[in-house]
Amino acid sequence: MSKKTEIAADEKIEKMYSETELQEIISKHQKEIAEIKQTHVKMDLSFQWYIPRSPINKNQLFGQACSSDGITVKSFVAQWLEHFKQNNALYDLKKDSVISEAKKYAMRPIIIAGSGPSLRRNGMFLKQRGEIPLVSCLHNYAYFEDMGIKPDYYVNLDAQALTIDEVTNSGSKSAEYYWDSTKDKVLVTAVHCNPELHKKWKGKILWYQTIIPDNHAMQQFAEITGGFDMFFQCGGNALGSCLYLARAVLGGGSIGFVGADFSFSYDKKFHPFDSDYDKKFDGVMACTDVFGNRVYTWQSYFNFKCWFEYQSMGGEGNNPQMFVNCTEGGILGAYPEGNIISIPQMTLVNFINLYSMHLNFDHCIEKKMLLF
């Protein structure tokens, strides 16, 4: 609408109503907005205060995070081994190990992206991240393509066939369009992942292996290639693989988390796009999010949250970490008592600005302004 059109519209309104009538209309509107009805839920979207440590101690966090490992291994190890054999026959896993990326972004901040619903709120800012590298879970592929977001790496962990559809079903274009667009993208994938997905990927593929809490299974894996030794400790989830890639391989310093909700949103969405997960809102447990509000999740995703909190406390090696949760929602680091101090909460825009202030330096010198 042009400025002239806006002025004409304002003049028309003034002719229709007297100033007293306009004030009454505005007051009525404001009253209706302010009125809290039974169907309304009041939400405070200010981050909770910090607490010095998790109400669950470090050993308990690890135990909770690993509580389903035995069932997972027993259910899928045969499939993992078969996929490993097929991938080993089709690709030179050792030659194309992700170790080739070692120290590429040493001592720099890196953003890692899960597929949580909070990406609807702040995902668009990833296009304005400057030179901060981005490592994303593969499930975001079509969603990020539609938004014009270009991660430096996509990471895959899941061996199930559904992963293939998840590459494309979050977008608005055809599956063929998205698979063709992979020709200039880098996929970091586990050796046990689905070979059919790898066949569809047209860009560069780099390989890693996860540590399986089963000595017999690990021995079988070792016998396939004669010892593929690029291992990730990932906590059984794709974002964990993103973290290991960012911290241990690429050498990142501070790690900004986005899309790391590990819970449903207030409107019961599990991803920033429509998915079958949204139709499975059952068997859930209540949790507290980073704002102190009630949300819901599954036990498996609560376990993932515990794994990252365990890592924020140093993990098995008691190594210092610098995690910043820029998700702006979800349950990472959050408890009813408050947010744990080992995972500071921050907006994504502020995290990016931490490492972008120098970009304004020349402008400030020219205008004789101070940066802060």
Side-chain angles (χ1 to χ4, degrees):
M1 183 183 290
S2 69
K3 191 68 176 177
K4 288 184 178 179
T5 306
E6 290 178 359
I7 293 171
D10 290 342
E11 290 176 346
K12 185 175 181 181
I13 291 172
E14 288 176 1
K15 290 178 181 178
M16 290 172 59
Y17 303 102
S18 67
E19 185 170 340
T20 301
E21 289 171 327
L22 277 171
Q23 288 301 321
E24 289 177 353
I25 292 171
I26 292 170
S27 296
K28 181 182 178 183
H29 176 65
Q30 290 176 333
K31 183 179 179 181
E32 289 174 349
I33 292 173
E35 184 181 357
I36 298 177
K37 301 178 181 179
Q38 286 184 335
T39 55
H40 291 172
V41 178
K42 185 178 180 181
M43 294 292 181
D44 181 1
L45 297 184
S46 301
F47 292 127
Q48 294 190 103
W49 52 82
Y50 287 109
I51 54 177
R53 61 185 62 85
S54 169
I56 306 174
N57 70 43
K58 186 178 175 183
N59 290 335
Q60 290 173 324
L61 283 170
F62 181 76
Q64 183 64 55
C66 300
S67 59
S68 300
D69 285 359
I71 296 173
T72 303
V73 172
K74 185 176 181 180
S75 301
F76 296 108
V77 68
Q79 181 190 63
W80 295 343
L81 285 165
E82 180 56 33
H83 286 173
F84 193 2
K85 292 175 184 177
Q86 293 181 41
N87 288 323
N88 187 52
L90 292 169
Y91 305 94
D92 190 336
L93 305 182
K94 290 183 179 179
K95 177 178 176 292
D96 294 324
S97 164
V98 74
I99 195 65
S100 63
E101 305 299 289
K103 305 177 185 177
K104 186 173 181 179
Y105 297 116
M107 297 183 287
R108 289 174 57 179
I110 298 178
I111 296 172
I112 62 174
S115 302
S118 293
L119 284 176
R120 290 182 297 176
R121 179 181 300 119
N122 62 8
M124 72 288 295
F125 298 116
L126 292 172
K127 292 194 292 184
Q128 304 164 19
R129 68 183 188 275
E131 298 180 3
I132 302 176
L134 173 62
V135 177
S136 173
C137 292
L138 183 59
H139 198 178
N140 288 330
Y141 187 84
Y143 183 70
F144 277 1
E145 277 293 295
D146 283 2
M147 292 179 70
I149 298 168
K150 305 297 180 185
D152 297 88
Y153 304 90
Y154 279 105
V155 177
N156 181 41
L157 175 67
D158 202 321
Q160 308 307 304
L162 61 86
T163 311
I164 299 173
D165 290 335
E166 286 180 349
V167 174
T168 63
N169 64 12
S170 62
S172 59
K173 303 180 180 66
S174 68
E176 290 75 15
Y177 170 87
Y178 294 113
W179 286 117
D180 186 61
S181 72
T182 64
K183 60 183 177 292
D184 61 347
K185 310 297 192 308
V186 181
L187 174 66
V188 179
T189 186
V191 295
H192 67 262
C193 289
N194 198 301
E196 298 306 313
L197 182 148
H198 303 142
K199 292 175 184 177
K200 287 178 172 291
W201 192 268
K202 298 183 179 182
K204 187 175 183 178
I205 299 179
L206 299 174
W207 302 89
Y208 70 95
Q209 185 176 343
T210 59
I211 296 175
I212 301 171
D214 183 302
N215 291 334
H216 179 63
M218 289 299 291
Q219 181 61 36
Q220 289 178 289
F221 271 78
E223 290 171 357
I224 293 174
T225 62
F228 181 87
D229 58 2
M230 184 60 250
F231 291 99
F232 278 21
Q233 178 71 277
C234 65
N237 66 93
L239 190 62
S241 290
C242 292
L243 175 60
Y244 198 92
L245 173 62
R247 273 294 271 132
V249 180
L250 301 176
S254 57
I255 305 297
F257 288 74
V258 294
D261 294 72
F262 302 113
S263 67
F264 286 88
S265 60
Y266 303 134
D267 57 352
K268 297 182 180 179
K269 295 290 185 182
F270 205 72
H271 297 298
F273 39 80
D274 292 334
S275 72
D276 289 339
Y277 291 75
D278 303 337
K279 304 170 186 176
K280 302 173 184 177
F281 192 77
D282 55 14
V284 295
M285 55 185 288
C287 299
T288 300
D289 74 1
V290 297
F291 304 121
N293 297 314
R294 175 176 288 189
V295 291
Y296 295 88
T297 190
W298 290 300
Q299 183 67 60
S300 57
Y301 281 83
F302 185 85
N303 292 353
F304 295 156
K305 152 199 156 72
C306 290
W307 187 83
F308 286 102
E309 292 172 2
Y310 168 75
Q311 295 301 329
S312 77
M313 298 176 188
E316 185 176 353
N318 289 316
N319 294 309
Q321 307 288 343
M322 177 53 74
F323 297 164
V324 181
N325 188 18
C326 309
T327 297
E328 300 177 56
I331 62 175
L332 180 59
Y335 290 89
E337 296 87 347
N339 297 330
I340 59 175
I341 203 166
S342 61
I343 305 182
Q345 307 288 331
M346 186 181 293
T347 66
L348 177 57
V349 168
N350 282 346
F351 182 81
I352 293 171
N353 285 343
L354 277 176
Y355 303 97
S356 305
M357 191 172 289
H358 65 285
L359 300 177
N360 297 320
F361 188 75
D362 290 342
H363 172 75
C364 289
I365 292 295
E366 180 185 346
K367 299 294 184 182
K368 297 182 179 180
M369 297 166 56
L370 295 175
L371 277 170
F372 57 87

